[in-house]
Amino acid sequence: MSISTIITAAGKNSRMRKDQISRNLVLKNKLILPFNNKTVLETTIDNALSANTDECIVVLGHYASEIMDAISDNYDGSVKFVKNNPVDVGLSTSLFNGLSNSDSDYALCITGDQPTVSAETFNRMIETIQNSENPEKTISILRRRKTGLLDTAEGLGMPFIAHRKNLMSYLENEDDNLNPILRKIFADGYVFYGIKEKNEKELLNINHYEDYLNLLD
């Protein structure tokens, strides 16, 4: 099976900006904050490129110019950058736009603020869906509560891997957060497998400045 990685990096950064203002810090998009001698987004991209996938697509929107200016490695030939038009759309639309720029069978879906999720964990997610009885009706996802066969999609989000066209059919004409859509997919009988994290930091997204500081520790 062919697999594309889709990384969403198109958000408003509103919670981080609010925290930076309250701390009298220079306003800076969370995706370009320093992390592992690069930026948060570059670290996420590097981890994704180390996984067993065939291509990597990054979806930009708000602050696209600021983000591109901060990326030291242009990833020429290894990453395709696409931009939302219009930019003021929900996460589901960003993900749909990324999926639309791929022709792979499956998609590994990641958010740009997940720099701690390792290639090892991505590969476990991929192997799980490859070994499932019906890969097209399976979603392999980083667990939030239980691991293994899940009995609910409550609280779940990226990263996950799913059949690209099937996922697009749920995302099309939606402009929402991802969890309600995952719950709808689950209700339609898809099998969800929760993959255990390599370490607890893999379960953290960078929404607030405190989250960022916790990941640096």
Side-chain angles (χ1 to χ4, degrees):
M1 61 173 64
S2 57
I3 305 171
S4 294
T5 300
I6 311 296
I7 301 176
T8 57
K12 292 181 179 179
N13 196 50
S14 54
R15 286 173 289 189
M16 180 64 75
R17 287 174 67 86
K18 184 178 179 181
D19 288 353
Q20 289 170 334
I21 290 170
S22 70
R23 293 168 178 256
N24 293 316
L25 298 170
V26 174
L27 291 179
K28 201 169 190 180
N29 190 288
K30 64 181 179 180
L31 298 179
I32 62 174
L33 291 171
F35 196 87
N36 287 355
N37 299 316
K38 287 196 172 185
T39 62
V40 167
L41 179 58
E42 285 172 303
T43 306
T44 303
I45 291 172
D46 290 347
N47 289 339
L49 290 174
S50 296
N52 297 327
T53 61
D54 301 293
E55 69 173 349
C56 182
I57 297 169
V58 176
V59 184
L60 301 172
H62 293 279
Y63 308 103
S65 297
E66 181 182 344
I67 290 169
M68 288 302 297
D69 288 346
I71 292 177
S72 57
D73 184 338
N74 63 13
Y75 296 104
D76 187 34
S78 59
V79 177
K80 181 194 297 184
F81 291 92
V82 300
K83 187 176 178 181
N84 289 334
N85 184 19
V87 297
D88 195 15
V89 295
L91 177 57
S92 62
T93 301
S94 293
L95 185 54
F96 182 85
N97 290 344
L99 295 165
S100 300
N101 279 273
S102 167
D103 58 5
S104 292
D105 301 321
Y106 289 80
L108 173 63
C109 305
I110 308 169
T111 63
D113 64 352
Q114 295 179 315
T116 55
V117 184
S118 63
E120 181 181 334
T121 296
F122 292 143
N123 286 336
R124 284 206 305 275
M125 293 165 58
I126 292 167
E127 289 164 6
T128 297
I129 204 166
Q130 287 174 331
N131 295 327
S132 65
E133 289 186 8
N134 186 359
E136 291 189 14
K137 291 296 181 75
T138 299
I139 290 187
S140 175
I141 193 162
L142 182 63
R143 71 103 185 182
R144 297 304 190 273
R145 298 167 190 160
K146 296 181 180 178
T147 60
L149 186 63
L150 301 181
D151 57 8
T152 179
E154 295 289 335
L156 296 177
M158 292 195 272
F160 67 88
I161 182 169
H163 186 268
R164 184 181 67 87
K165 286 186 177 179
N166 287 355
L167 178 59
M168 288 178 69
S169 71
Y170 284 93
L171 295 173
E172 192 169 12
N173 300 320
E174 295 284 350
D175 192 33
D176 200 351
N177 289 325
L178 198 58
N179 185 256
I181 297 168
L182 289 173
R183 294 202 307 267
K184 187 182 298 184
I185 295 172
F186 184 88
D188 282 347
Y190 278 66
V191 173
F192 277 59
Y193 282 102
I195 305 304
K196 184 170 175 55
E197 70 282 5
K198 184 178 178 181
N199 59 66
E200 62 182 19
K201 287 188 176 181
E202 288 196 323
L203 299 177
L204 297 177
N205 289 16
I206 304 174
N207 292 317
H208 296 280
Y209 197 78
E210 194 66 32
D211 300 330
Y212 171 65
L213 294 178
N214 287 339
L215 290 186
L216 293 180
D217 286 342

